[in-house]
Amino acid sequence: QVQLVESGGGLVQPGGSLRLSCAASRSISTIYRMAWYRQAPGKGRELVAAITSGGSTDYPDSVKGRFTISRDNAKNTVYLQMNSLKPEDTAVYYCNARIGMYSYWGQGTQVTVSS
């Protein structure tokens, strides 16, 4: 079991950057896969970035080259660096940890990209 707490969201202008953090309540070194998802109003939740314990990453085409996921096992924290933000990136961003057959979620952090 793990509790996840996201932070770092906010309002940013198009073209700007934000870094989201996801702090876990326990060591993440043995958690195989951690990820960020987002959900925009009226839309389903979609994968934004994922990282395995071995450091392999996965991104959808919509954010590839702009977003970077990383994990700091010593701090039990996963980060999402978001650059060149677009209005369509506006959403609630959620941290996810998959442990065995269970999936754990944080409460989400709002990211709004607007001028």
Side-chain angles (χ1 to χ4, degrees):
Q1 192 173 6
V2 63
Q3 283 76 49
L4 305 171
V5 178
E6 302 97 335
S7 61
L11 173 65
V12 62
Q13 292 187 341
S17 299
L18 279 176
R19 188 177 81 155
L20 305 183
S21 299
C22 171
S25 61
R26 49 151 278 187
S27 171
I28 65 170
S29 62
T30 58
I31 298 177
Y32 175 70
R33 180 182 181 272
M34 297 200 67
W36 288 94
Y37 288 75
R38 67 185 179 189
Q39 187 165 18
K43 295 187 177 181
R45 195 168 292 190
E46 63 173 352
L47 176 70
V48 173
I51 186 167
T52 68
S53 55
S56 297
T57 57
D58 184 34
Y59 305 93
D61 289 342
S62 58
V63 307
K64 197 171 292 183
R66 299 189 298 123
F67 290 11
T68 303
I69 188 171
S70 61
R71 59 194 291 168
D72 186 335
N73 290 340
K75 295 183 178 180
N76 298 331
T77 301
V78 176
Y79 303 98
L80 183 67
Q81 178 67 44
M82 305 186 294
N83 299 327
S84 303
L85 283 162
K86 305 174 181 180
E88 51 263 45
D89 294 318
T90 295
V92 178
Y93 284 69
Y94 297 91
C95 183
N96 173 266
R98 186 173 298 170
I99 302 174
M101 61 184 288
Y102 299 101
S103 191
Y104 298 90
W105 297 92
Q107 82 289 348
T109 186
Q110 176 71 46
V111 172
T112 303
V113 185
S114 175
S115 55

